[in-house]
Amino acid sequence: MPDVPGGYFGRALIVDVTDGSAEELPLDKQTLRRYVGGVGLGTYLMHRLAPCGVDALAPEAPLAFVFSPLVGTPLTTSAKFAVVAKSPLTERLNDALASSHFAIAGKLSGNDALVVRGARDTPSVVLVDGDGARVQDAADLWGLPAAEAEARLRERLGPAWRVASIGPAGERLVRYATVSHDGRHAGRGGLGAVLGSKRIKAVAVRAATKCPTAHPQRVLAAARDLRQRSFGPATAKYRELGTLANLLAFNAISTLPTRNFQAATFAGAPQLAAEDLAEARSVARNSCASCSIGCEHIYATKGGGQARVEYENVFALGPLCGVSDPDAVLSASERCDALGLDTISAGGTIAWAMECAERGLIDAPWLRFGDGDALLRALDEIGARTGLGDLLAEGSRRASAEVGGEASSLATHVKGLELPGYEPRTLQAMAVGMAVNARGADHNRSGAYEADLAGGHDRLAGGEAQAAAAIVTEDRAAVMDSLILCKFLRGVFADPFPEWAALLGAVTGWDVDGAELRRTAVRIVLAKRLFNLREGWTRDEDWLPDRFLAETLELESGRSATLTPERLRGMIDAYYEGRGLDDDGLPDTDQLEALGLHVLAP
Amino acid sequence: MAAAAGIVLAGGRSSRMGTPKATLEWHGSTLLRRVTGIVARATGGPIVVVRAPGQDLPAMAKGVEVTEDAKEGRGPLQGLAAGLAAVDGRAEIAFVSSTDAPLLHPAFVRRVVGALDGEHDVALPQAGGFPHPLAAAYRTELLPSVQQLIAADRMRPAFLFETCRVQRLDEAALLADPAVAAYDPALDSVLNLNEPPDYEAARARPAPEVAVRCYGAVRRESGAGRSPVVVNAATLAGAAAAVDLELDEHVVAALNGDQITRDPDEPLAAGDTVAFLAADAGG
């Protein structure tokens, strides 16, 4: 074993699926310490391995499954992995997280990351274990839902294998197709289409070794402490009702996006509320591997099926499309799981199409807000790329450009990524967070809504405080997504950076402190920005859709929620200043050198 | 520039009351905390408390500014001048209130501020047969006029009204606002407490009637069900207590679907809806 820190193997395995060859990419101690793992290390790998300007769906485009030093330890919620590639939806850097046994088995195959590049002529799967990598034919799996492909492959290979698979949407290159494992999805940005473009149905991994930590007793003690804290009130929401608890609360505070963001409250919200649905529909509560929170709430669907229910899928397939029938929304969610579709982008694109259809901009008289059958038909057509679905499979940005005219101003995306369920006019720290984030409109990489909902500032105002909040939450996300720890655990950390540094130090043996991890956060955020810059990013991409800057929302209190272009410009400028960027959003040479990023600068 | 600022005059001698009115308690908070909170909610601009030189004030919400009378005991015009100077350049209109108005309602403040059109300099409520210059809205550009009156030792508000355009709002005009008619039908917003019996009478009144809703995990923790619970509470802490909810770091509240707060002293007014949410709202 070479001299590597605890929690690491010091290498990534690069598999060229074109010919099945594999090579090791050594990851030195400095690189690991600078980028940690997960999203951070994945960003580094994309800088190293993705050809500049590569088409996201071209054979040369790499896709990385990236693990982290904490994976495989008893630290709660640490069994997570990042999938990182250039997004076919945004054409910018994209990372998406998923959880559970794939993370542990993948890392214990003896690699800190698995990178797939090249393309097959026929449907195939990639297998990685202690014997290295090989590529096998998988024509029989092509066309299956991800869960079914996963089950069949494990049946064939054996239960020690863990599988990440794509669904039919990924095979058909839907630009917001997911990569799925055990029913969970690395959901955003279309990474399933990247695998689909390589005709790789699944990646299967099997543990072959162990990965020692530097201080096992410290890790064990920290794990016990963290586990105990994870049972407390900071995670009660996730345990008791899951994230769907947001829906009724967000409706009460006018931040529930409705009918393609034409409103921020939805009359049908009570019909979709977790408080009531849980009593009538809940059939199980599950956890990821190594998790003591147990946030997964499984509801029964019409016809005897089951669906994992989260706020984001219910918001996107419910209020955003004007649908209040829980049977329709849960069936739509189940359909997205089967097809392997990101529910947020699917709902966002369909909601855009519904508004276009109602305004006569596209010829689809069957597609109307509130029609659950139309929603399901649209999903099926997207998954099959038939009829209108072939256009909608491109996402709202490309589809609106194709339709032309007013349609573009109705598309609610940032950098091509459809907005999550947070209304930016009533959450204005979130507004700037979504505008500037490298992944596009996103709540997991920029959780500035936390500041809006904490009461520390006026959420209907926008200024330096909001920009500062966007920076703080973006930095925290960068570290959590690289360690990797689940964000549902974030409330248990009173002083996050030093506490995270202590965990990382116990695993790796590094003498790392909170200040270093803060610098690491900045490095990762800027590394993402640098990647986008080399792929053609300009300052104009750090912006919000027209609708939010032209239309005012009226609140129950009598106040109006308005976000003017001038205010947004001011917040973005304040964000740039807070990040040490120039007026064009670019980092300076000294800053890059201090962070060791100058070698990545285009 | 904000549309409206708030000025709360706290510098009076309270000689008839015998104790500083700003510190008097009403259903769980001080009068000053309550009045500044109500005015802040209704105006949205800067909030300035004018105190006597060196006067001690009770705790107030974050962001409330304090300025001082140039001289103590010279009456409301002196306080008005100090307040207008403090908000100069930051708001076009200022709602001016005394500190001894426990029943001041945000709808009343909005009605008065909203009545100040481009043709007038002051919106002056007339209720109970009296004008109420310390429950009125003033154009902030009146500052030089007020300073001239002070320099001439003409210290009564009536002298100011002789020199500017005054929109007098009688009871009918005030009650024409549906929210005022619904939540302050007796126009108690203009009620002042001058002597101990006034204070005792105000304390004998019930706290405002408000509706409380709890969401998600908070609903399970509290005694609230699906429907809103109507309770009497003058502060956020009072509303939480009324539904057996501990207002700790894991809970936040939204008032009328608007601002998020976790300040237990946040004042409530009749007709308010309080939504208690998990503090870790979000995905």
Side-chain angles (χ1 to χ4, degrees):
Chain A
M1 172 76 71
D3 178 27
V4 293
Y8 289 106
F9 291 99
R11 62 175 172 255
L13 186 67
I14 303 170
V15 184
D16 190 327
V17 298
T18 309
D19 59 7
S21 63
E23 62 176 302
E24 283 186 8
L25 173 70
L27 298 171
D28 61 51
K29 283 189 284 189
Q30 186 185 56
T31 297
L32 295 172
R33 189 153 176 167
R34 281 181 171 171
Y35 296 96
V36 183
V39 166
L41 186 57
T43 302
Y44 167 81
L45 289 171
M46 287 304 114
H47 273 283
R48 284 286 306 271
L49 301 174
C52 190
V54 69
D55 182 333
L57 299 179
E60 315 82 72
L63 178 142
F65 292 87
V66 192
F67 311 110
S68 81
L70 272 50
V71 171
T73 71
L75 291 163
T76 185
T77 79
S78 63
K80 297 183 78 74
F81 60 100
V83 188
V84 187
K86 183 176 178 181
S87 164
L89 188 64
T90 68
E91 298 178 45
R92 301 290 173 255
L93 185 75
N94 192 81
D95 51 76
L97 302 183
S99 310
S100 218
H101 295 283
F102 183 91
I104 300 169
K107 176 175 172 180
L108 297 184
S109 70
N111 300 289
D112 298 316
L114 304 174
V115 182
V116 178
R117 62 183 176 195
R120 303 291 289 177
D121 292 330
T122 55
S124 304
V125 293
V126 176
L127 312 182
V128 179
D129 64 4
D131 297 328
R134 55 257 186 219
V135 180
Q136 291 185 353
D137 179 75
D140 60 316
L141 303 180
W142 206 247
L144 294 178
E148 202 172 326
E150 183 177 342
R152 283 211 202 168
L153 197 52
R154 289 189 74 205
E155 196 176 322
R156 182 188 310 167
L157 298 171
W161 290 85
R162 300 292 179 171
V163 176
S165 177
I166 62 172
E171 298 169 10
R172 296 192 177 99
L173 310 185
V174 176
R175 290 184 186 270
Y176 41 92
T178 66
V179 177
S180 170
H181 164 61
D182 195 22
R184 302 166 188 87
H185 298 265
R188 302 233 68 193
L191 299 170
V194 178
L195 274 186
S197 71
K198 301 178 185 308
R199 291 180 195 80
I200 296 300
K201 179 68 179 178
V203 175
V205 292
R206 180 169 61 173
T209 184
K210 293 181 179 175
C211 190
T213 59
H215 303 291
Q217 292 308 314
R218 275 170 56 189
V219 173
L220 198 58
R224 285 196 188 112
D225 171 58
L226 204 53
R227 178 182 168 84
Q228 194 58 38
R229 284 194 271 165
S230 77
F231 296 140
T235 57
K237 166 186 159 181
Y238 304 108
R239 276 195 310 275
E240 294 184 10
L241 290 171
T243 56
L244 185 56
N246 289 340
L247 191 117
L248 215 48
F250 280 18
N251 193 51
I253 59 172
S254 298
T255 189
L256 177 63
T258 297
R259 293 189 175 84
N260 198 32
F261 288 87
Q262 293 182 82
T265 57
F266 183 50
Q271 293 167 251
L272 300 171
E275 288 87 338
D276 291 343
L277 276 186
E279 286 183 20
R281 307 259 185 167
S282 181
V283 293
R285 183 166 74 89
N286 291 341
S287 297
C288 299
S290 305
C291 174
S292 51
I293 297 176
C295 71
E296 293 180 359
H297 293 260
I298 313 296
Y299 287 6
T301 61
K302 192 178 180 182
Q306 295 185 350
R308 263 189 185 80
V309 176
E310 300 283 353
Y311 167 67
E312 291 296 340
N313 54 2
V314 174
F315 127 78
L317 302 168
L320 195 63
C321 293
V323 178
S324 58
D325 175 6
D327 282 326
V329 174
L330 293 179
S331 293
S333 184
E334 191 179 20
R335 199 74 55 94
C336 286
D337 277 348
L339 291 168
L341 286 173
D342 171 24
T343 53
I344 300 174
S345 283
T349 304
I350 292 170
W352 164 82
M354 285 174 163
E355 187 169 359
C356 287
E358 291 197 348
R359 289 173 180 244
L361 301 173
I362 60 177
D363 183 19
W366 54 274
L367 192 60
R368 290 290 181 268
F369 283 119
D371 187 335
D373 290 336
L375 171 66
L376 292 169
R377 174 178 165 183
L379 289 171
D380 285 340
E381 291 193 2
I382 290 168
R385 271 192 178 269
T386 56
L388 183 64
D390 196 38
L391 176 71
L392 303 188
E394 295 294 298
S396 62
R397 180 173 66 178
R398 283 180 176 78
S400 63
E402 179 80 19
V403 172
E406 188 192 0
S408 285
S409 66
L410 305 178
T412 53
H413 65 84
V414 174
K415 301 180 178 74
L417 192 70
E418 286 73 19
L419 264 76
Y422 298 81
E423 167 54 57
R425 285 164 290 192
T426 57
L427 299 170
Q428 298 203 2
M430 189 60 180
V432 64
M434 288 196 287
V436 299
N437 195 260
R439 190 163 82 156
D442 180 71
H443 63 295
N444 279 321
R445 302 295 173 271
S446 184
Y449 63 84
E450 288 178 42
D452 287 312
L453 297 176
H457 62 239
D458 184 349
R459 66 191 173 100
L460 305 190
E464 291 181 3
Q466 283 76 7
I471 291 172
V472 167
T473 53
E474 200 174 53
D475 282 353
R476 288 183 181 177
V479 172
M480 288 200 94
D481 294 340
S482 300
L483 283 172
I484 307 171
L485 288 171
C486 178
K487 294 203 184 67
F488 293 172
L489 198 62
R490 65 191 187 278
V492 312
F493 297 107
D495 194 4
F497 286 93
E499 291 185 58
W500 295 334
L503 298 178
L504 186 60
V507 171
T508 60
W510 293 333
D511 182 21
V512 55
D513 59 15
E516 181 181 333
L517 269 193
R518 287 179 190 279
R519 287 193 301 278
T520 301
V522 175
R523 179 182 300 113
I524 292 168
V525 169
L526 293 184
K528 293 180 186 180
R529 184 165 279 265
L530 287 175
F531 184 90
N532 286 351
L533 183 63
R534 67 166 233 191
E535 297 301 309
W537 173 91
T538 65
R539 164 183 136 133
D540 292 346
E541 292 180 24
D542 284 356
W543 200 241
L544 287 179
D546 295 345
R547 162 155 281 160
F548 304 116
L549 307 175
E551 299 174 15
T552 294
L553 292 171
E554 303 299 335
L555 272 62
E556 176 197 351
S557 66
R559 285 211 299 162
S560 300
T562 304
L563 178 57
T564 62
E566 294 75 23
R567 179 184 291 177
L568 180 61
R569 183 75 261 157
M571 288 197 289
I572 291 171
D573 288 346
Y575 171 88
Y576 285 174
E577 189 177 351
R579 279 262 176 245
L581 306 173
D582 67 14
D583 292 346
D584 290 324
L586 305 176
D588 69 31
T589 310
D590 291 345
Q591 186 182 24
L592 294 180
E593 200 148 344
L595 292 167
L597 286 169
H598 53 293
V599 294
L600 302 182
Chain B
M1 184 182 291
I7 297 171
V8 179
L9 306 186
R13 286 176 169 157
S14 306
S15 50
R16 281 186 287 166
M17 186 63 76
T19 187
K21 290 193 228 178
T23 61
L24 291 176
E25 185 270 350
W26 193 75
H27 288 298
S29 80
T30 65
L31 289 183
L32 185 61
R33 175 68 186 85
R34 178 169 183 79
V35 171
T36 52
I38 295 290
V39 173
R41 201 203 307 175
T43 57
I47 301 297
V48 174
V49 171
V50 183
R51 67 176 179 182
Q55 178 187 358
D56 287 334
L57 295 176
M60 290 177 291
K62 190 175 123 187
V64 174
E65 303 168 28
V66 177
T67 191
E68 292 192 349
D69 279 328
K71 287 185 181 176
E72 187 176 3
R74 297 201 67 200
L77 274 194
Q78 180 78 61
L80 178 60
L84 291 176
V87 301
D88 190 29
R90 294 191 288 162
E92 296 173 359
I93 295 169
F95 182 86
V96 178
S97 178
S98 60
T99 193
D100 58 344
L103 300 175
L104 182 65
H105 197 284
F108 178 91
V109 178
R110 285 193 201 98
R111 170 70 184 113
V112 174
V113 169
L116 191 51
D117 57 25
E119 306 296 315
H120 297 90
D121 302 308
V122 177
L124 181 64
Q126 297 265 149
F130 299 99
H132 294 276
L134 296 189
Y138 297 79
R139 205 161 284 289
T140 54
E141 62 191 23
L142 286 174
L143 176 60
S145 303
V146 177
Q147 289 169 328
Q148 285 172 14
L149 288 169
I150 293 170
D153 203 24
R154 291 164 59 82
M155 302 301 292
R156 292 171 52 202
F159 294 138
L160 175 65
F161 302 149
E162 290 172 2
T163 67
C164 62
R165 302 166 299 172
V166 178
Q167 165 86 308
R168 294 183 186 270
L169 301 169
D170 62 16
E171 293 181 4
L174 292 164
L175 292 169
D177 184 298
V180 176
Y183 302 122
D184 188 16
L187 297 175
D188 289 331
S189 285
V190 300
L191 188 75
N192 297 125
L193 314 181
N194 293 314
E195 298 179 347
D198 299 335
Y199 175 50
E200 292 308 318
R203 292 189 74 186
R205 287 176 175 247
E209 205 169 76
V210 301
V212 177
R213 300 191 77 136
C214 296
Y215 293 95
V218 176
R219 179 185 293 180
R220 295 190 173 194
E221 185 189 332
S222 73
R226 287 191 182 89
S227 303
V229 180
V230 177
V231 304
N232 289 97
T235 63
L236 199 65
V243 293
D244 296 327
L245 182 68
E246 188 180 350
L247 198 56
D248 60 17
E249 72 271 26
H250 302 293
V251 177
V252 295
L255 293 186
N256 304 315
D258 193 329
Q259 283 310 314
I260 307 290
T261 179
R262 54 176 81 209
D263 182 349
D265 296 325
E266 184 68 36
L268 302 180
D272 277 347
T273 298
V274 181
F276 287 113
L277 324 169
D280 53 348

